Amino acid sequence: MKPGIKRALIAAIILLILGLLVLAVILFGPKLLSTHSSNQLNLEKFGFSILPGSEYRESVGELGKTQLPATFAEDKLTPEE
């Protein structure tokens, strides 16, 4: 087999593999991202489900003073807050 033909065949196979990878990302990418977002949200809320009691309860601070519960819900915070 001539070196030019061999090189062209290898290039064609590499392009075919890259094309198939791009096609797979286009077809399955959005589904994968939505599943990842859903799993991440469930993981973030996991801690609240295993802790007993309300997340808005009074607590005792480091100096022994009573701290009032939060007056806002964490679900309504923006990422900057």
Side-chain angles (χ1 to χ4, degrees), residues 1-17:
M1 196 180 262
K2 292 183 180 178
I5 295 174
K6 192 181 271 188
R7 213 176 265 168
L9 184 62
I10 290 173
I13 291 172
I14 290 173
L15 286 175
L16 179 66
I17 290 173

Side-chain angles (χ1 to χ4, degrees), residues 4-79:
I5 295 174
K6 192 181 271 188
R7 213 176 265 168
L9 184 62
I10 290 173
I13 291 172
I14 290 173
L15 286 175
L16 179 66
I17 290 173
L18 287 175
L20 289 174
L21 285 173
V22 168
L23 183 64
V25 168
I26 290 172
L27 292 176
F28 300 112
K31 176 68 175 164
L32 182 67
L33 289 176
S34 68
T35 303
H36 175 70
S37 299
S38 173
N39 289 342
Q40 187 174 8
L41 184 62
N42 289 338
L43 182 61
E44 288 173 359
K45 294 189 177 201
F46 175 71
F48 293 125
S49 66
I50 62 171
L51 290 176
S54 171
E55 58 186 274
Y56 304 110
R57 60 182 180 269
E58 290 184 358
S59 61
V60 178
E62 288 183 17
L63 301 176
K65 294 205 174 214
T66 303
Q67 297 175 336
L68 296 177
T71 58
F72 53 87
E74 290 185 10
D75 293 338
K76 297 180 182 176
L77 294 177
T78 63

